[in-house]
Amino acid sequence: MSALLVPSSSSPARPSRNGNRKGEGNVVLRPITAQTYRAFLASPHGEALGAGFLQCPSWADVKEGWRAQLLGWGPDPEAGELTGVALVLLRPLPGTRKYFAYLPEGPVADWSDPGIDGWLTPLLEHLRRTGAFAVRIGPSPAHRRWSAARLKPLTGPGRRLGDVLASEVDPLGTAVAERLGARGWHRCGDDATGDDSHGDGAGGGSGAGDAQPRHVFQVPLAGRTTEDLWSGLNQEWRRNVRRARKEGVEVVVGSAADLPEFCRLLALTERRDGFRLGRSLAYYERQYAALNAEEPGRMKLYLSRHQGEILAAHTLITVGRRAWYQTGASADHRREVRPSNALQWRMLLDAHAGGADVYDMRGVPSTLDPEERAYGLLRWKLGTGGQVVETLGEWERSVGGSANHALHRAFQAYLKRR
């Protein structure tokens, strides 16, 4: 485990009779071990918070160039009495001993609790003592949702998601945004940013919009049968899945040995579709090893074969009752046999059979303009019959003090020059 578990600068206080530590209020925040962290995520309360894979301890082993801390808060964190946890990634500011702190899609907290200051304030104070000058977080509540049925007939020149009345506005997301804004947090990016539609995001920039996708596409699975999922596909998707089956496309779960072929196909996909993730084979090998060492089968590589040739490869990550289609790649030829549709249908079925409540297809662009190149990705995902979910995005602030505020501004300028 490469995460650096930095001890608190203050000595632990004695627990009081009600389980809290004297002199520190109702919540105690402390560095915790990876074992304690994972045990919390697997507990009923931890699972209900719906942690994403970017907040698992293993993600610290994936990200190079970062230091990491595992933090927990609750009545007695060291004893495993927790109410929330956070994986904090720390990037040094060149020429200083200061850090930019990043909690990708975290912290893992009960955002419905109106008393967020009880854990958010200790978190900021801990990071300040650690040497952080600024912090970026990714709250989990959703903001708005658009069903596929609502969006399909409302595409047009220049149109974006924000132009369409949402199917649902989440009141919790609205409340959390107001609470953060009142506490000096600033939302990163705008409606035109955060479209990292194909991967897991760069992970922790500053001043350049969201590092993780603002808009994601999700297919609800809870309470649905496989017949429901099939009928949820649009006519084109059902026709393409049947075509792949008729053409003899075979879908299998690969292994680490297939990652080089996945990366080769990913390079083809990047050139064809006009995007650049900047992920190397070593990155995916590190990710595959770290996630599966934490829990066997956490990350899987699915392959579509036709006449013995791999035509498409997609990655699937599962944590608790959530499953993510992370990255997809496909060849330039024989696309008429629909290998990617076959892959997604198999992954959707496997996520459902594994007990996932939601199948998250990760980022989609905010454009509804069919003439824009990026719209093709949204159109493809809309065919599964799910919904576009606008998250709260990422929020950032300095940890307090004029010196840290100045460093934060300098760091933003540094990243813009890179």
Side-chain angles (χ1 to χ4, degrees):
M1 179 66 196
S2 66
L4 174 65
L5 303 180
V6 180
S8 172
S9 61
S10 59
S11 59
R14 185 184 301 275
S16 63
R17 290 182 180 179
N18 65 6
N20 300 321
R21 298 198 184 234
K22 292 182 178 179
E24 296 196 41
N26 295 325
V27 174
V28 181
L29 186 143
R30 291 284 187 271
I32 58 175
T33 66
Q35 181 180 5
T36 299
Y37 193 114
R38 286 194 279 268
F40 172 74
L41 294 185
S43 70
H45 177 58
E47 188 176 76
L49 295 178
F53 63 92
L54 299 178
Q55 277 292 296
C56 286
S58 57
W59 200 250
D61 294 321
V62 177
K63 304 302 293 181
E64 288 190 324
W66 297 81
R67 300 171 69 185
Q69 293 185 9
L70 300 178
L71 303 177
W73 54 88
D76 193 348
E78 292 97 331
E81 297 180 28
L82 296 163
T83 55
V85 293
L87 166 64
V88 181
L89 300 175
L90 299 168
R91 169 170 284 179
L93 179 63
T96 76
R97 295 183 179 181
K98 291 286 190 173
Y99 299 91
F100 177 78
Y102 180 48
L103 287 69
E105 297 187 359
V108 183
D110 180 7
W111 291 96
S112 66
D113 180 4
I116 63 173
D117 289 328
W119 57 265
L120 191 55
T121 299
L123 175 62
L124 290 172
E125 176 59 22
H126 172 86
L127 293 175
R128 185 189 64 78
R129 294 196 309 266
T130 299
F133 61 88
V135 58
R136 176 182 284 203
I137 61 175
S140 60
H143 181 207
R144 294 182 291 181
R145 303 173 193 271
W146 295 267
S147 68
R150 171 159 294 189
L151 291 176
K152 286 177 184 177
L154 296 177
T155 61
R159 292 184 67 85
R160 304 187 74 81
L161 283 169
D163 299 325
V164 178
L165 184 67
S167 305
E168 177 186 342
V169 177
D170 193 322
L172 176 58
T174 302
V176 170
E178 291 175 351
R179 291 168 189 163
L180 290 175
R183 288 158 175 80
W185 293 83
H186 301 282
R187 191 171 182 174
C188 305
D190 53 35
D191 184 55
T193 64
D195 291 344
D196 173 26
S197 307
H198 299 266
D200 53 66
S206 175
D210 297 317
Q212 306 305 327
R214 172 81 60 85
H215 299 97
V216 298
F217 196 88
Q218 297 180 351
V219 181
L221 302 181
R224 303 178 71 189
T225 65
T226 54
E227 290 75 17
D228 294 332
L229 297 178
W230 178 254
S231 63
L233 302 180
N234 68 12
Q235 188 175 36
E236 181 182 4
W237 260 80
R238 291 196 296 270
R239 182 171 61 248
N240 288 342
V241 172
R242 291 192 187 103
R243 174 69 182 273
R245 188 180 301 136
K246 180 179 178 181
E247 294 288 344
V249 173
E250 177 191 18
V251 178
V252 299
V253 178
S255 67
D258 298 299
L259 287 172
E261 180 62 12
F262 163 71
C263 287
R264 186 187 71 81
L265 292 174
L266 182 57
L268 292 176
T269 305
E270 289 177 333
R271 287 196 294 270
R272 181 179 68 242
D273 293 349
F275 69 93
R276 176 65 177 159
L277 291 180
R279 299 284 181 258
S280 65
L281 172 60
Y283 174 89
Y284 285 106
E285 289 176 334
R286 191 165 61 250
Q287 182 184 19
Y288 190 91
L291 270 61
N292 288 322
E294 185 169 61
E295 182 176 311
R298 169 147 290 168
M299 179 177 178
K300 293 180 179 178
L301 176 63
Y302 284 74
L303 310 172
S304 266
R305 291 177 179 153
H306 183 248
Q307 297 178 355
E309 181 183 4
I310 298 174
L311 294 182
H314 296 178
T315 58
L316 179 73
I317 300 175
T318 305
V319 179
R321 301 184 69 84
R322 297 175 65 188
W324 294 263
Y325 156 46
Q326 185 199 18
T327 307
S330 60
D332 291 336
H333 62 289
R334 276 194 252 170
R335 298 172 65 79
E336 71 279 1
V337 303
R338 304 302 178 185
S340 293
N341 294 94
L343 266 184
Q344 283 299 308
W345 177 238
R346 166 70 183 277
M347 290 165 65
L348 192 61
L349 291 179
D350 284 1
H352 179 265
D357 289 335
V358 63
Y359 181 68
D360 193 320
M361 301 182 78
R362 293 294 281 169
V364 290
S366 58
T367 180
L368 295 176
D369 187 342
E371 296 302 315
E372 289 191 28
R373 188 175 190 176
Y375 173 76
L377 180 68
L378 174 60
R379 180 182 179 277
W380 188 72
K381 293 183 180 182
L382 286 172
T384 63
Q387 57 187 358
V388 175
V389 178
E390 181 186 14
T391 70
L392 284 182
E394 296 186 325
W395 295 69
E396 194 171 295
R397 60 159 289 175
S398 69
V399 297
S402 57
N404 285 332
H405 187 65
L407 283 173
H408 187 205
R409 292 199 306 269
F411 190 61
Q412 290 174 318
Y414 160 74
L415 287 174
K416 288 178 181 179
R417 292 196 305 267
R418 289 197 309 170

